Amino acid sequence: MNRLWIENGIFVTMDEQQPVVKGHMVVENDRIIYIGEAAPQPEPEQAERLNGQGLLFMPGLINTHAHSAMSLLRGYSDDEALQVWLEQKMWPMEGRYTDEDAHWGNSLAALEMLKSGTTTFVDMYDRMPILAKVVEQSGLRGVLTRGVIGLCSPEEQTAKLEEAKQFAKEWNNQADGRIRTMLSPHAPYTCPPDYIERIVAAAHELDLPLHIHMSESAAEVQQNVNDYGTRPVEHLDKLGFFSRPSLVAHAVHLNDEEIALMAARGVAVSHNPASNLKLASGVARVPALLAAGVTVSLGTDSAASNNNLDVFDEIRLAALIHKGVSGDPTAVPAIEALRMGTVYGARAIWQEDQLGVLKSGMKADFIAIDIDQPHFYPQTDMISHLVYSGSGRDVKHVWIDGRQVVKSGTCLLLDEEKIKAESQRSFERLLGR
Amino acid sequence: MNRLWIENGIFVTMDEQQPVVKGHMVVENDRIIYIGEAAPQPEPEQAERLNGQGLLFMPGLINTHAHSAMSLLRGYSDDEALQVWLEQKMWPMEGRYTDEDAHWGNSLAALEMLKSGTTTFVDMYDRMPILAKVVEQSGLRGVLTRGVIGLCSPEEQTAKLEEAKQFAKEWNNQADGRIRTMLSPHAPYTCPPDYIERIVAAAHELDLPLHIHMSESAAEVQQNVNDYGTRPVEHLDKLGFFSRPSLVAHAVHLNDEEIALMAARGVAVSHNPASNLKLASGVARVPALLAAGVTVSLGTDSAASNNNLDVFDEIRLAALIHKGVSGDPTAVPAIEALRMGTVYGARAIWQEDQLGVLKSGMKADFIAIDIDQPHFYPQTDMISHLVYSGSGRDVKHVWIDGRQVVKSGTCLLLDEEKIKAESQRSFERLLGR
């Protein structure tokens, strides 16, 4: 039995009942068993005690859209038209990846995510067993899915789908339950309708949720209309996609009818503001989505289009850009942006019963922020400070499932020096190959 | 004679002739005297030697629009309509400021700026001698101006202008030349035309540049048209404003004719993306300004509307938002955003002959970034990494005028603990007063 008793801390709980608690939190094994202003009674026995002075504790951040292996391509191509970036830069490099490259790319991403306070992430890519092993080792929590592109022969389509199903079956609930799996057609424009229907059927068969890129660019929406006579939301709905719990990434170009349909179907969104801005995809209609009751979470997308995996950056962007673009300074208030990175993230991956909130009974996935720094003074509204002035660099400690995985900025379960060196070597090999 | 010889470093110089140098830099007193791949010949004698391994050196960041004393109001009011924020929150609190509050607010801002890599800043506010003393003590470089609001009696107008002139005369070129001064009517909508003309005349008399808030909101532009029959750029031009070297803050709402006139008059802009987004002012037409040849620099505005003073945040926003809003992923490339925070900043304050570039003969104002961190790997395009993945928290050392002012994250000339504690006390006093 492991017990941790944090005293004298500030807790931004994301719990509507008691949003900010100055006091105590007790963790037993993988769960929070107490949080409150008063000291726990009776005193927890044989507990490790931590003085929370100068620290702010909050739920670990949840990144609902990533492609970890692509961290090797950070900075390899920027400020290019989308097709140049994708076809001339990303795809040729990705085509050269070996398992080893994927391992180091994934490890680099895990390191960056953990150190910047992300405790749970969603990842869609290939070579997923390699990532699953990195998740297992690093202590991270992940929702992993082998994304499939269907622009290939029926045999290849079937092989990819079988690989995705196999991975999903084999790894669901592994790593002490920290790994969950999904199925993922890559996008409506890269998967023919009948292939999407087969993937939806497989999701029903395995009782899994679905993840997909949707309506990232205006061009892709127009192509959908040209090819299928409908916009992507209606198209996917007709294919039965939303009959499964669904998380769609991007969702930048939506009309009112699509937003209403997504709300009716309970579709969750992974809003990726940095990537959408950097690739010039546009600005998602987040205030309208939130007003319609759609769950909006945050994703970094890959380090090749962001170019970092710091969810604090996405939180701040989500709080800033929708005000500026809408002309309404009350759009996406600080607390709402913070919810997008925590409690709405948990909801978007159907784990709101155990993640995203510091509350008795929830999983002990939480982070400690060093607030004894000038940009957090004067210590007034700490939620505002986290959103408008916080950064992943302010994260000092991280716990997942009650286990400390980052201590004073150091990943306890990963070899940082080796990962940095091998990532560099992998990248140089990819360049030279 | 003080000499510093940095070996084995990566230098992002912002010098078009040699943008990235891997090698050596030598500083003598307040100047860079050598930068190059080869070791300096002959070897500098009696030089302090610094191994630059794992560090990236670049020019110190230049923040061209700030109100330092307002750092005490960080997080005091967010996500409110502009008039509520200003009239019900900011003005009453500012009205309660004492000299002591101003001192601690200014000190807090100096601390945050230095630690996040800003070496030069522009500040428009009142009680400016207090800020000048903080600049003198902290080692910062500042362009300071007592901003005047003319919505008062002629006697008060005169008194404020005299105070502004007195400050400008007394402090120009003080602190070993690190302080420069300007004159500043606060804005066209807060200063009657004849008052602006008097300030312009005073700027001619004292041979000083001018700074002003201009066209921050659409409402203010409309008010200008209603009141004076012209938009702000033409209005100021008619008042002779641009006959002086001029730096305008915000410049969000401009038409093509105004951009052309600003280019013709050599008006520099301080683009404040975070503040403009947060206050829902809109998105400035930066690509059009740059295309017209206008010097566009970056400012944080105050910590009450940002809510941080990290110029890296402004650099990243400048690189991201104009792509997303224009739909052009080549808009404001990484290097251009970095120029806005360095060399264009120097140009905007008429010090491009000595600041903003690492080059022999320039002032030794530079910073060292800890690039041995996951978010800077693989080490590919370091300019991309700085812009899209960098943060003020990555700044390890800072030198201004050849003097080290931050060492391993610690301000050498300021008492951080005292400033944090006194800022907190000042804020609480302001609340209670």
Side-chain angles (χ1 to χ4, degrees):
Chain A
M1 177 90 72
N2 286 314
R3 284 202 193 90
L4 171 65
W5 176 9
I6 299 168
E7 304 164 276
N8 202 21
I10 296 175
F11 300 86
V12 170
T13 65
M14 306 313 290
D15 176 3
E16 307 293 331
Q17 303 306 311
Q18 48 175 12
V20 179
V21 173
K22 295 188 181 187
H24 302 258
M25 186 167 85
V26 181
V27 172
E28 194 172 280
N29 296 328
D30 62 330
R31 299 278 170 179
I32 296 166
I33 61 164
Y34 174 81
I35 182 163
E37 295 191 2
Q41 289 297 343
E43 284 203 357
E45 286 175 17
Q46 293 177 311
E48 176 194 349
R49 289 170 81 147
L50 177 68
N51 183 354
Q53 176 76 38
L55 296 174
L56 180 152
F57 298 85
M58 62 175 285
L61 301 175
I62 298 177
N63 180 350
T64 59
H65 189 63
H67 310 287
S68 293
M70 293 180 78
S71 281
L72 288 189
L73 304 179
R74 185 199 321 269
Y76 174 61
S77 171
D78 303 298
D79 311 337
E80 300 265 24
L82 183 64
Q83 290 316 102
V84 175
W85 177 78
L86 200 61
E87 294 172 15
Q88 296 178 28
K89 300 287 186 164
M90 291 299 119
W91 288 350
M93 285 291 264
E94 288 176 285
R96 291 181 205 136
Y97 263 55
T98 62
D99 283 358
E100 199 188 348
D101 297 323
H103 172 76
W104 294 118
N106 287 326
S107 300
L108 181 64
L111 197 59
E112 186 184 358
M113 288 193 282
L114 282 170
K115 288 175 68 128
S116 57
T118 292
T119 52
T120 298
F121 72 111
V122 172
D123 202 289
M124 181 209 287
Y125 210 64
D126 57 10
R127 303 178 199 263
M128 292 311 277
I130 293 172
L131 178 57
K133 283 170 197 152
V134 169
V135 169
E136 197 168 42
Q137 186 207 341
S138 65
L140 270 165
R141 192 181 298 282
V143 182
L144 310 182
T145 171
R146 198 292 192 208
V148 295
I149 292 182
L151 304 172
C152 50
S153 70
E155 294 72 28
E156 278 181 87
Q157 284 185 353
T158 298
K160 283 182 183 177
L161 177 53
E162 286 308 312
E163 182 192 326
K165 287 171 67 177
Q166 183 60 33
F167 171 77
K169 281 191 284 193
E170 193 174 320
W171 282 94
N172 204 19
N173 285 314
Q174 292 304 301
D176 302 320
R178 297 198 316 276
I179 294 178
R180 300 282 175 91
T181 59
M182 302 195 280
L183 292 181
S184 296
H186 171 269
Y189 67 93
T190 56
C191 291
D194 64 324
Y195 193 41
I196 292 179
E197 286 176 324
R198 286 173 62 197
I199 299 166
V200 172
H204 277 287
E205 178 198 330
L206 301 179
D207 193 21
L208 291 173
L210 288 166
H211 186 34
I212 193 166
H213 296 100
M214 189 190 78
S215 306
E216 180 175 1
S217 72
E220 152 198 344
V221 172
Q222 188 54 50
Q223 191 186 326
N224 207 94
V225 172
N226 296 347
D227 291 352
Y228 307 118
T230 57
R231 292 169 62 92
V233 177
E234 190 184 344
H235 175 67
L236 288 175
D237 192 51
K238 283 185 176 164
L239 298 174
F241 196 90
F242 304 131
S243 65
R244 296 300 311 161
S246 307
L247 170 64
V248 300
H250 302 300
V252 177
H253 298 276
L254 301 173
N255 63 28
D256 291 346
E257 291 70 33
E258 288 176 296
I259 291 175
L261 184 56
M262 288 167 67
R265 297 286 187 269
V267 177
V269 167
S270 178
H271 175 40
N272 294 189
S275 175
N276 294 160
L277 292 170
K278 183 157 184 283
L279 295 175
S281 305
V283 177
R285 296 179 60 197
V286 168
L289 285 163
L290 291 168
V294 173
T295 296
V296 182
S297 61
L298 292 172
T300 55
D301 213 352
S302 83
S305 66
N306 188 305
N307 293 348
N308 66 74
L309 304 180
D310 183 350
V311 174
F312 277 104
D313 261 14
E314 307 302 319
I315 290 171
R316 181 160 49 258
L317 281 173
L320 289 178
I321 59 175
H322 304 295
K323 294 179 174 70
V325 167
S326 70
D328 175 5
T330 70
V332 192
I335 184 66
E336 191 74 347
L338 203 59
R339 287 185 192 119
M340 290 165 67
T342 54
V343 62
Y344 295 168
R347 201 180 289 168
I349 57 169
W350 313 283
Q351 296 190 45
E352 67 269 38
D353 57 327
Q354 59 175 12
L355 302 179
V357 173
L358 301 186
K359 197 166 92 171
S360 179
M362 303 294 275
K363 284 277 192 186
D365 284 22
F366 63 103
I367 63 181
I369 313 280
D370 174 8
I371 54 169
D372 192 24
Q373 300 184 81
H375 55 277
F376 290 125
Y377 276 84
Q379 297 192 348
T380 50
D381 179 344
M382 296 312 295
I383 288 165
S384 159
H385 287 0
L386 287 172
V387 170
Y388 295 118
S389 204
S391 151
R393 276 76 156 186
D394 299 325
V395 173
K396 190 166 180 182
H397 310 304
V398 179
W399 289 261
I400 299 174
D401 244 7
R403 174 164 66 160
Q404 187 159 10
V405 292
V406 174
K407 188 171 184 172
S408 299
T410 299
C411 277
L412 298 176
L413 304 172
L414 294 172
D415 182 344
E416 175 161 346
E417 293 311 313
K418 187 170 172 72
I419 291 168
K420 288 185 296 193
E422 293 291 347
S423 297
Q424 187 71 28
R425 259 191 284 275
S426 266
F427 175 72
E428 287 167 7
R429 274 200 306 265
L430 286 172
L431 269 186
R433 217 163 262 154
Chain B
M1 177 91 70
N2 285 313
R3 285 202 192 90
L4 171 66
W5 175 9
I6 299 168
E7 304 165 276
N8 201 22
I10 296 174
F11 299 86
V12 169
T13 65
M14 306 313 291
D15 176 2
E16 307 294 330
Q17 303 306 313
Q18 47 173 13
V20 179
V21 172
K22 294 188 182 186
H24 303 257
M25 187 167 86
V26 181
V27 172
E28 194 173 281
N29 295 328
D30 63 330
R31 299 279 170 177
I32 296 166
I33 61 164
Y34 174 81
I35 182 162
E37 296 192 0
Q41 289 297 342
E43 284 203 358
E45 285 174 19
Q46 293 177 312
E48 176 193 351
R49 289 171 80 146
L50 177 69
N51 183 354
Q53 177 75 38
L55 296 174
L56 181 151
F57 298 84
M58 61 175 284
L61 301 175
I62 299 177
N63 181 349
T64 59
H65 189 64
H67 309 288
S68 292
M70 292 180 80
S71 282
L72 287 189
L73 303 179
R74 186 200 319 272
Y76 173 62
S77 171
D78 304 297
D79 310 337
E80 300 265 24
L82 182 64
Q83 290 316 100
V84 175
W85 177 78
L86 199 60
E87 293 173 15
Q88 295 179 29
K89 300 288 186 164
M90 293 300 118
W91 288 350
M93 286 291 265
E94 289 177 285
R96 291 180 205 135
Y97 264 55
T98 63
D99 283 359
E100 198 186 349
D101 298 322
H103 172 77
W104 294 118
N106 287 326
S107 299
L108 181 64
L111 197 58
E112 186 183 359
M113 288 193 282
L114 281 169
K115 288 176 69 130
S116 57
T118 292
T119 51
T120 299
F121 72 112
V122 172
D123 203 288
M124 181 209 288
Y125 210 64
D126 57 11
R127 302 177 199 264
M128 292 310 278
I130 293 172
L131 178 57
K133 283 169 198 154
V134 170
V135 169
E136 196 168 41
Q137 186 206 342
S138 66
L140 270 165
R141 192 181 298 282
V143 183
L144 311 181
T145 169
R146 199 291 194 209
V148 295
I149 291 182
L151 304 173
C152 50
S153 70
E155 293 71 28
E156 279 182 85
Q157 284 184 353
T158 298
K160 284 181 183 177
L161 178 53
E162 286 308 312
E163 182 191 325
K165 288 170 67 176
Q166 182 61 31
F167 171 76
K169 280 190 282 193
E170 192 174 323
W171 282 95
N172 205 19
N173 285 313
Q174 292 304 300
D176 301 321
R178 297 198 315 277
I179 293 178
R180 301 282 174 92
T181 60
M182 302 195 281
L183 293 181
S184 296
H186 171 269
Y189 67 93
T190 56
C191 291
D194 65 324
Y195 193 40
I196 292 179
E197 286 175 325
R198 286 173 61 197
I199 298 166
V200 171
H204 276 286
E205 176 198 330
L206 301 179
D207 193 21
L208 290 173
L210 287 167
H211 186 34
I212 193 167
H213 296 100
M214 189 191 77
S215 305
E216 180 175 2
S217 72
E220 156 197 341
V221 173
Q222 188 54 50
Q223 189 186 328
N224 208 94
V225 172
N226 296 348
D227 291 352
Y228 306 118
T230 57
R231 292 170 61 93
V233 177
E234 190 184 342
H235 175 67
L236 287 175
D237 192 51
K238 284 185 176 165
L239 298 175
F241 196 90
F242 303 132
S243 66
R244 296 300 310 161
S246 308
L247 170 64
V248 300
H250 304 300
V252 176
H253 297 277
L254 301 174
N255 64 26
D256 291 346
E257 291 68 35
E258 288 176 296
I259 291 176
L261 184 56
M262 287 167 68
R265 297 286 187 267
V267 177
V269 167
S270 178
H271 174 42
N272 295 190
S275 175
N276 294 160
L277 291 170
K278 183 156 184 284
L279 295 175
S281 305
V283 177
R285 296 178 60 197
V286 167
L289 285 163
L290 290 168
V294 174
T295 296
V296 182
S297 60
L298 292 171
T300 55
D301 212 352
S302 84
S305 65
N306 188 305
N307 294 345
N308 67 73
L309 305 181
D310 183 351
V311 174
F312 277 104
D313 261 14
E314 306 302 319
I315 290 172
R316 181 159 51 257
L317 281 173
L320 289 177
I321 59 176
H322 304 294
K323 295 179 173 70
V325 168
S326 71
D328 175 7
T330 69
V332 192
I335 183 66
E336 191 75 346
L338 204 59
R339 287 185 193 119
M340 289 165 68
T342 53
V343 62
Y344 295 168
R347 200 180 291 169
I349 57 170
W350 314 281
Q351 297 190 44
E352 69 269 37
D353 58 328
Q354 59 174 13
L355 301 179
V357 173
L358 300 187
K359 198 165 92 171
S360 179
M362 302 294 274
K363 283 278 191 185
D365 284 21
F366 62 102
I367 64 181
I369 313 280
D370 173 9
I371 54 170
D372 191 24
Q373 299 185 81
H375 55 277
F376 290 126
Y377 276 83
Q379 295 191 348
T380 50
D381 178 343
M382 296 312 295
I383 288 165
S384 160
H385 287 0
L386 287 173
V387 170
Y388 294 117
S389 204
S391 151
R393 277 75 156 188
D394 300 326
V395 173
K396 190 167 180 183
H397 309 303
V398 178
W399 289 261
I400 299 173
D401 244 5
R403 174 164 67 159
Q404 187 159 12
V405 290
V406 175
K407 188 170 186 173
S408 298
T410 299
C411 277
L412 299 176
L413 304 173
L414 294 172
D415 183 343
E416 175 160 346
E417 294 311 313
K418 188 171 172 74
I419 291 168
K420 287 185 297 193
E422 294 291 346
S423 297
Q424 186 70 28
R425 259 190 285 276
S426 267
F427 174 72
E428 286 167 9
R429 272 199 308 264
L430 286 172
L431 270 185
R433 217 162 264 154

